[in-house]
Structure formats: C-alpha cells, structure tokens
Amino acid sequence: MKKLATLFLVLLMVLSTASFAAGEETVTLNLWHRWSGTNEEILAECVAQFEAEHPNIKIEITAKAGEYFELLQSMIADAAAGNEKPDIFVGGYNLLNYIASELEPTNVDELAPSQEELDALYDCFTPEMLALSNVDGEQIGLPLAVSNMVMYVNMDIFEEAGLTEEDIPTTWEEAAQVCEVIKNNTDHYGLYLQLPDNWGDQAIIFSAGGEMLNETKDRVDFTNEGCIKALTTWQEFYNKGYTPICTDAESMANFSAGDIAMNLTTIMKINTFNEYAAFDLRVAECPGFEGYDKQLPAGGAAMISFTTDDAKKAAVFEFMKYMSSQEGMETFTKTGYLCVTKDEVPMVAGQEAAYAQTVYARPWECWPGGSLGLEIDARWLTVRNAIVMEGADVVSSLTALEEECNMLLENA
C-alpha cells in the first residue's frame, strides 16, 4: 500500500512539472540585421544575455551583411517568397517612411502589455531620440543604434606632410588647404567622404545650409544654394586629386593601410580602425562650412516588429525593454554606436568626438513617395557619383534630377 502511495505521489509531481513547463511554452523570434564582424558578435552577445534572463524566449538571428537598403531588399524578397516578415527588424532611419507606408509594421504601442509598461519604456529616451523612429506620429519602432559622422585622422601622414594636431581641419575650407599640403608633400591622398548611401551626402549638404526636400517634405529640392555648394565642394576634392576614385570598401582598406590622411565616416567603424590601423589614429569632429551652422544626420537604425501574434508581441516587447536597459546599452555600445537612452554608459576610445557632435544632430531625411522613394534614392546616388567622381556639371545635373524625381512623385 505504501509503495502504491509513493508511486502516486511521484506521478503527481511529474504531472505537475509537465503542467508548469507547458505554461512556460517557448516563444521563438527571428531577428534580422545588417552587421558583420565585431558588431555582429556584440549583438549576438546581447541576445545571449537576454535569453539567459528569459529562458522561455529564443531568438534566431539572420545576418545580411551590407547596407540598410540591401537588408530591406532582402527582407522584401523573403516576404514576397511567402515567408513571414521578421519579428524584429533592424531598419535604417532613412528607410522608415517606406517601411511605415508599405510594410505594415506593428507599432510599439501594440506590443506593450499595458500603458504603464509602455510609458516606462518610452521614459528611457529623450523626446528627440524617440522621434528618430516615429513616422507621422506613429511610434513604428524604438531607437537601437545611433551614430554620427566623424573624421578619422592618420597623424603619421600629417607628420610626413609637416602638419600637426593643430592642423586637423574643422571646416571644409580648411580641409581643402590641408589636402593641398598633403598632396604637395607626400604620395598619399588627403580625404575620403563615404559613398555607399546618402548619409554622407546629407552631412555635407545640411552643413552647407542646404536641404534635399522642400518644406513640406513631399517633393525633392536639389537646386537650393546649399545643395549646389556642397556637391561643388565635394567634386573639387576629386578634381584636385585629394580623394581617390574607389569604392567604399576599398577606401576602408586604403585608410587602414595608411594611404588616406582623413576618412569621414561613421563612428560605428571605430573598432575596425582601432584594430587594423598601424599608425597614430585620431578621431576628430566632422568639418562644417565657414559661416554656416553644422548639421549632421543621425545614422543608425531602429528595432521594428512585424509580428501580429500576441505571444510574440509580448516577447518582442521584452527584448526591446532589455536592449533599452542599462545592461543592454552597455553591451551594445561596445560596437561604437552611441547610447540611445538617458543612461550613461562607458565610452569606447575615440567616441568622445561623436558624443560632442550630438548637439548638431537632426533626423536622417527619408525620401517621400513610399516605394517611389527607393527609385529616387537609386537615381540620386547615380547622379551624385557622376557629379563628384566623373565631373558632371553640378547645376544642370541636379536640375534635371530634381525635375525627374518630382515628376515621378506628381504622377504617382
């Protein structure tokens, strides 16, 4: 009789354990991002820490190394093949208008289990930071990665040219003078401004007092004085031999190898340059233009969800909470990206210039027109390359492009 009673108790415990496990059913999320190398490893570290604290949530990571536009194209193609869109998608700020109008993201408000938890999450950010992932009043995502453009400087080339730290330029006018000295006294190139998307374009255009859209942001504006001034200045750096004609990947290799004195690109690349640069590396603020207020578009990406499943919504919200926490930000900012929350986190060596430049931040401008915006972006980059690298006439090229793009928008 005692043996039967004992067996009954054991069976009861097993059933109870099984019932508890069933109540803690595992939710699996998929996360898409565009990073590789160290940054991919750091994001994976964040995910591992999150999973350790949330054993009933698993995250499968899909990495598509490249630019934000290429990541978006891959996701669209995957969805067109009949697959579900990602539960968590790390989308570039410059593509949020398209994502909001064409892809039906799930707003953060819909992910939150309660208004109290939603308010607590939003309170981690300043209003300006939250606005980076807000489209027409809808919070379609949460900021994850924020960067700005800095100038990486090879002080060995400066020394070879007879220049010192005091000669590091703060304006584009000074940069041209420094490049002329480097050209005359060394066999190296002076400066490179990144090319893979329109982020660098916006940095130089905005800082020249220019814009790329009209006041209502429903039409392009490429013929304003600041836009023409910026593209003319950029073109001159190529015409005078200060800048090498190469791809962005080649510029990274050339700079790391010690053949370019100044490289203007994202602070996110600080770890790469710290690891591979075999020279005295400095990080300085991005130059502005004399007589104009410097303005720099905030680069980076937001966490966006497309899930409609209630269990997944709750899990995505927990992941967003974690990434917005002190622990999550301390780990993620080891990438070189800046902290997006109100928390203070340790700086990566070289980030000082980037944090100092946050006072010049403005949103990364999105093209209007939904899917037409992708066509406008492709046309802009083609004409931009023809101007700066091939010597195409600045005013006539920008005028023709403006007319083309606005006709597309008007006929939509």
Side-chain angles (χ1 to χ4, degrees):
M1 191 68 178
K2 286 183 179 180
K3 287 183 179 180
L4 287 174
T6 301
L7 182 60
F8 175 76
L9 288 173
V10 170
L11 181 60
L12 184 62
M13 290 173 64
V14 169
L15 290 173
S16 298
T17 302
S19 298
F20 176 79
E24 291 292 319
E25 185 176 350
T26 298
V27 176
T28 300
L29 306 176
N30 52 67
L31 182 158
W32 281 47
H33 71 87
R34 54 149 286 223
W35 295 303
S36 59
T38 301
N39 291 352
E40 181 181 9
E41 293 171 4
I42 291 171
L43 180 61
E45 182 181 346
C46 291
V47 168
Q49 290 173 179
F50 171 79
E51 289 180 334
E53 297 178 17
H54 300 79
N56 62 320
I57 302 175
K58 301 299 178 187
I59 298 180
E60 297 176 347
I61 301 176
T62 299
K64 299 281 186 178
E67 302 303 323
Y68 291 117
F69 181 74
E70 294 166 338
L71 175 69
L72 180 64
Q73 285 182 310
S74 294
M75 190 267 282
I76 293 171
D78 191 67
N83 298 312
E84 292 185 1
K85 294 193 286 288
D87 302 305
I88 306 164
F89 181 77
V90 183
Y93 297 125
N94 62 318
L95 300 169
L96 296 191
N97 274 356
Y98 173 82
I99 291 172
S101 63
E102 303 289 333
L103 300 180
E104 299 181 338
T106 302
N107 289 355
V108 180
D109 301 37
E110 301 173 48
L111 301 172
S114 69
Q115 187 63 45
E116 183 179 9
E117 288 199 55
L118 180 66
D119 292 341
L121 179 58
Y122 283 166
D123 191 53
C124 295
F125 305 87
T126 64
E128 294 79 9
M129 195 64 72
L130 266 182
L132 292 179
S133 51
N134 189 294
V135 177
D136 296 331
E138 300 288 335
Q139 198 67 45
I140 70 164
L142 279 184
L144 171 63
V146 164
S147 64
N148 57 41
M149 182 167 292
V150 295
M151 184 164 62
Y152 297 94
V153 182
N154 181 330
M155 291 308 299
D156 290 1
I157 295 179
F158 266 54
E159 183 178 352
E160 183 182 343
L163 300 166
T164 69
E165 193 169 343
E166 293 182 358
D167 295 308
I168 294 175
T170 60
T171 66
W172 282 99
E173 292 83 357
E174 291 175 356
Q177 295 170 5
V178 168
C179 284
E180 182 66 19
V181 173
I182 291 170
K183 180 182 178 181
N184 291 336
N185 296 334
T186 76
D187 294 327
H188 303 294
Y189 289 103
L191 179 146
Y192 184 87
L193 172 60
Q194 74 158 53
L195 286 169
D197 50 32
N198 65 50
W199 190 54
D201 312 35
Q202 293 191 20
I204 190 171
I205 289 170
F206 296 161
S207 291
E211 295 291 338
M212 299 180 78
L213 300 177
N214 64 0
E215 289 187 6
T216 54
K217 299 188 184 302
D218 59 351
R219 294 291 183 271
V220 304
D221 178 7
F222 300 146
T223 54
N224 60 81
E225 182 179 335
C227 190
I228 292 171
K229 176 182 177 67
L231 270 292
T232 300
T233 299
W234 197 357
Q235 184 187 68
E236 288 176 354
F237 276 77
Y238 280 90
N239 288 346
K240 293 180 178 179
Y242 302 156
T243 296
I245 298 177
C246 63
T247 66
D248 214 60
E250 289 168 342
S251 79
M252 286 277 292
N254 291 342
F255 181 74
S256 295
D259 196 37
I260 302 174
M262 296 171 285
N263 192 346
L264 276 73
T265 187
T266 172
I267 186 60
M268 182 269 286
K269 294 180 181 176
I270 182 63
N271 287 323
T272 299
F273 289 139
N274 278 337
E275 182 178 357
Y276 293 107
F279 50 80
D280 183 6
L281 175 69
R282 306 294 170 85
V283 184
E285 293 188 25
C286 188
F289 281 90
E290 294 175 4
Y292 294 87
D293 293 330
K294 183 160 58 177
Q295 299 182 71
L296 300 175
M303 296 178 285
I304 302 161
S305 181
F306 297 100
T307 188
T308 57
D309 178 84
D310 287 340
K312 286 189 173 185
K313 284 181 181 179
V316 169
F317 189 79
E318 286 300 316
F319 183 73
M320 288 185 171
K321 276 172 56 179
Y322 176 78
M323 293 304 297
S324 306
S325 69
Q326 177 85 35
E327 180 183 346
M329 272 291 110
E330 283 189 1
T331 302
F332 185 73
T333 52
K334 290 189 292 184
T335 56
Y337 280 111
L338 308 184
C339 181
V340 299
T341 67
K342 297 175 184 176
D343 289 322
E344 293 186 7
V345 300
M347 286 190 196
V348 173
Q351 279 187 320
E352 293 83 359
Y355 275 106
Q357 290 185 143
T358 55
V359 295
Y360 308 123
R362 59 176 281 181
W364 190 351
E365 203 78 86
C366 297
W367 300 114
S371 59
L372 283 178
L374 303 184
E375 173 65 21
I376 291 171
D377 191 59
R379 294 190 183 202
W380 165 265
L381 294 178
T382 298
V383 172
R384 185 274 318 268
N385 289 346
I387 290 173
V388 300
M389 290 189 286
E390 299 169 18
D393 183 74
V394 177
V395 175
S396 62
S397 298
L398 290 177
T399 300
L401 179 63
E402 181 181 296
E403 292 174 355
E404 286 177 21
C405 293
N406 282 335
M407 188 175 296
L408 282 175
L409 293 168
E410 288 165 7
N411 294 333

